[in-house]
Amino acid sequence: MAILQAYLDNSATTRPSEGVIEAMAECMRKGFYNPSSLYAPAMESEQAMRRCRERIARALMVKPGEIFFTSGGTEANNLAILGSVAAMRGKGHLVVSSVEHPSVLQPFEALKAQGYKVSLIPVDEKGQIVWAELENILQDPPALVSCMQVNNETGAMPDLDRLIQCVRSASPQALIHVDGVQGFLRLPFDARKVDLYTLSSHKIHGPKGVGALYVKSGVRLVPRQMGGGQENAVRSGTENTPGIAGLMRAIEEMEAHTGRVQDLYALKGKFWALVQREAPEAVLNGPEIDQGAPHILNISFPGVRGEVMLHALEGVGVYCSTGSACSSKKRKLSPVLLNMGLDAGLAEGALRFSLSIHTTDEEIEYAAGQIGMLYAQLKRFRRR
């Protein structure tokens, strides 16, 4: 009898579909040519890449020439932040949400060490911007503001329309960057409202190692990577054509499952109801079920360390995480949860569960049952 499993760590990475795998294999078999070469087969590879660029642009309501391929979300975020700041005159005021992904926060920390003024936007217990504090921050007009579309740990969705309005009123020339890694194709977004937008392939059932950055026409970036001048000299290096082929197929499949994305809210709600039934002491962190993104829940299990619960669940085939996969091995409390004002004890017992369009009812039912059984066992050993 097969061991039941439930993969609920889709914010860390998603399983590539068979269609994505086949598209990549076909590209490696027949479309392996360098897209910068001038003979016909290579130009076909360049055209395939152009079609993917057009598909991304259509999804974001922007122009294909404003889309640049990267190696993933981290590089795209670094290029957006460090590249745009390097093109600015002087050391202006930089503003960033306090609950961003490390690939956003760390570039700002590096800029602060170089003498830039960096202000952190505080959030409340639901992960929403504290607007009065933002208004105070904007008294010193910023040159760049960065805020994610969907928080990768809690699923909180900042009111970006209000943020954009506040920033444009205070500093019309400021650049606005949105990390859309967890939001792209799960939530509609008109990227024309902002100046820079990041996405990553492996969060939407595409391959790892490929992502993209939207750069509004007229926004200047100093490249972080130099060489052959690919991607209009914004990001040199031979493009990952098999990865881009996989990304193209992933986008097609995600767009074909638009209704399923909306169904995730129901699945998420069902999962939380089952967890509450099986483990009544569990605490939902961040936004209410219907207020956050459709695929992310952050749940604390008081009295049991998240890492202990994670490995217990791993033993029965339930896979989740203690927070951002990019920092989960550092064994520290989540800065995101702490910056939301969460009690340290609850932060220590927090786990992130993230769904996908392929998550089944059977998976969440199995996971909830195992959560209840294991939590009942483990909480008996809670520290006094």
Side-chain angles (χ1 to χ4, degrees):
M1 179 178 176
I3 298 174
L4 289 174
Q5 288 191 348
Y7 180 69
L8 303 179
D9 198 21
N10 289 279
S11 288
T13 197
T14 52
R15 176 176 61 83
S17 71
E18 290 303 314
V20 165
I21 294 168
E22 181 53 38
M24 295 178 68
E26 186 70 5
C27 180
M28 287 187 279
R29 290 189 196 102
K30 299 180 179 179
F32 59 86
Y33 306 93
N34 189 320
S36 295
S37 296
L38 299 179
Y39 39 81
M43 295 179 74
E44 290 175 8
S45 294
E46 194 279 330
Q47 289 168 5
M49 202 166 61
R50 174 179 53 78
R51 288 192 291 272
C52 184
R53 210 184 300 273
E54 291 171 349
R55 195 75 181 235
I56 294 169
R58 188 159 64 247
L60 294 177
M61 306 180 210
V62 300
K63 303 170 187 174
E66 297 173 315
I67 302 298
F68 300 90
F69 291 114
T70 68
S71 66
T74 292
E75 184 192 347
N77 280 333
N78 274 252
L79 176 58
I81 297 160
L82 299 175
S84 64
V85 170
M88 297 174 182
R89 292 183 179 178
K91 293 189 175 180
H93 183 202
L94 312 177
V95 177
V96 60
S97 155
S98 62
V99 290
E100 295 297 302
H101 187 272
S103 65
V104 169
L105 282 177
Q106 290 184 21
F108 278 97
E109 289 169 3
L111 290 166
K112 184 176 182 180
Q114 295 171 27
Y116 288 85
K117 177 183 176 181
V118 175
S119 297
L120 296 179
I121 306 171
V123 300
D124 62 20
E125 69 279 0
K126 300 298 182 184
Q128 289 300 317
I129 291 169
V130 180
W131 297 104
E133 292 295 330
L134 177 63
E135 288 179 13
N136 289 334
I137 290 170
L138 295 179
Q139 294 297 313
D140 180 1
L144 171 66
V145 177
S146 182
C147 184
M148 61 192 358
Q149 184 182 8
V150 172
N151 187 273
N152 57 298
E153 292 192 35
T154 67
M157 300 186 300
D159 186 343
L160 289 178
D161 285 338
R162 184 174 177 182
L163 172 71
I164 291 165
Q165 183 179 13
C166 289
V167 173
R168 297 294 187 217
S169 297
S171 183
Q173 302 306 313
L175 298 181
I176 299 176
H177 165 246
V178 170
D179 176 355
V181 165
Q182 293 293 341
F184 180 61
L185 296 185
R186 291 188 177 97
L187 299 163
F189 189 77
D190 183 349
R192 293 172 297 182
K193 298 177 182 179
V194 300
D195 303 286
L196 302 148
Y197 181 94
T198 301
L199 64 97
S200 176
S201 168
H202 77 105
K203 308 297 187 179
I204 57 167
H205 302 280
K208 299 176 184 65
V210 61
L213 175 65
Y214 156 69
V215 183
K216 180 178 284 187
S217 297
V219 172
R220 293 178 58 237
L221 293 184
V222 174
R224 301 289 89 195
Q225 202 161 296
M226 301 177 211
Q230 291 87 351
E231 296 303 292
N232 201 25
V234 169
R235 197 276 184 188
S236 288
T238 302
E239 292 92 348
N240 177 3
T241 50
I244 292 168
L247 171 57
M248 175 71 167
R249 181 63 63 86
I251 292 171
E252 292 172 344
E253 293 179 357
M254 283 289 289
E255 289 181 334
H257 286 90
T258 300
R260 176 61 175 161
V261 172
Q262 293 306 309
D263 291 343
L264 280 178
Y265 274 115
L267 196 65
K268 176 183 170 184
K270 179 179 179 180
F271 179 57
W272 173 232
L274 289 170
V275 171
Q276 285 181 297
R277 186 187 73 188
E278 300 292 336
E281 292 178 65
V283 177
L284 180 68
N285 302 318
E288 300 300 326
I289 290 296
D290 60 346
Q291 297 300 309
H295 62 298
I296 301 174
L297 304 88
N298 193 291
I299 302 173
S300 286
F301 298 93
V304 178
R305 289 176 55 211
E307 190 176 348
V308 172
M309 190 72 175
L310 181 148
H311 289 303
L313 288 169
E314 176 192 3
V316 294
V318 177
Y319 303 107
C320 57
S321 73
T322 54
S324 173
C326 295
S327 57
S328 61
K329 294 182 179 178
K330 295 178 182 176
R331 299 195 179 193
K332 62 180 181 179
L333 298 184
S334 163
V336 168
L337 298 180
L338 295 178
N339 283 330
M340 287 168 51
L342 202 69
D343 173 82
L346 286 178
E348 186 179 39
L351 290 177
R352 178 186 67 184
F353 299 90
S354 43
L355 317 178
S356 85
I357 58 173
H358 300 300
T359 303
T360 65
D361 285 86
E362 290 76 16
E363 282 182 289
I364 65 167
E365 290 166 2
Y366 175 69
Q370 296 302 311
I371 286 169
M373 179 186 68
L374 292 169
Y375 183 51
Q377 295 172 3
L378 292 170
K379 71 180 180 180
R380 294 197 304 242
F381 304 101
R382 71 177 69 190
R383 289 173 290 178
R384 299 294 180 185

